[in-house]
Amino acid sequence: MNYIQEMRQLIGSHTLMTVGCGIILEKDGQILLQHRKDNDVWGIPGGVMEPGETFVEAAIRETWEETGLKAEDLILFGLYSGNEGYAEYQNGDKIFSVQIIFHTEKFSGELIQDALESQEHRFFSRDNLPHLNSHQERFILDWVKNSNLPVVK
């Protein structure tokens, strides 16, 4: 059982504060996005930090689990909080997530297409993005705009 499952047993569907860590993986000016299985949106690989992990460890672990890629030399891209961090899942669970987003162009491994949470991974150019996850749209669009690092919102 992971941390989120343990907390849900205690608080039910009430709002749970989480720390999400993700990585913008860039190759030849394109961003790697994953097509989620649970809804028809695209976003960057990442997920919730487990107790005891560093931000970097969580981002690297989640990216590995979701893509099969080992990310290296992470640079802080941005810190994201505010009302955009609220979400309610189909099962009624509510969260407020603070997002720590990294960037790298250095990664290795074999890109997997079908993973536990995603059905496809693909690189996209800045001017040809798919339907984005609304909770990740702001940092993906900051990447599109070549925002200076790090972005704090």
Side-chain angles (χ1 to χ4, degrees), residues 1-10 50-51:
M1 182 177 311
N2 67 27
Y3 174 72
I4 300 295
Q5 292 168 333
E6 291 175 14
M7 292 298 100
R8 285 290 169 216
Q9 286 186 341
L10 296 172
E50 292 287 334

Side-chain angles (χ1 to χ4, degrees), residues 33-153:
L33 297 178
Q34 64 180 2
H35 193 187
R36 300 275 309 178
K37 285 184 177 178
D38 54 0
N39 47 33
D40 191 26
V41 295
W42 292 77
I44 66 169
V48 177
M49 177 188 239
E50 292 287 334
E53 282 186 309
T54 67
F55 300 131
V56 169
E57 289 168 343
I60 289 172
R61 175 186 53 78
E62 285 285 348
T63 298
W64 168 256
E65 290 173 2
E66 295 176 0
T67 68
L69 299 176
K70 172 78 170 152
E72 300 177 54
D73 297 340
L74 304 188
I75 299 169
L76 179 62
F77 181 82
L79 308 171
Y80 295 83
S81 59
N83 285 330
E84 295 90 343
Y86 284 103
E88 182 172 345
Y89 295 105
Q90 289 179 342
N91 67 359
D93 288 352
K94 297 173 193 72
I95 65 158
F96 173 74
S97 184
V98 174
Q99 300 289 320
I100 314 299
I101 306 302
F102 297 95
H103 177 274
T104 189
E105 294 182 20
K106 188 172 182 185
F107 50 92
S108 60
E110 289 293 320
L111 183 60
I112 57 175
Q113 289 302 329
D114 191 13
L116 184 62
E117 298 174 359
S118 56
Q119 58 189 349
E120 180 184 5
H121 293 93
R122 192 182 326 160
F123 284 91
F124 291 90
S125 65
R126 285 176 165 81
D127 60 355
N128 188 31
L129 295 175
H131 178 63
L132 298 175
N133 178 334
S134 62
H135 298 288
Q136 294 189 358
E137 185 173 34
R138 58 190 173 150
F139 39 87
I140 295 169
L141 293 180
D142 282 343
W143 171 82
V144 168
K145 295 183 280 190
N146 284 311
S147 293
N148 292 329
L149 304 177
V151 176
V152 179
K153 291 188 176 179

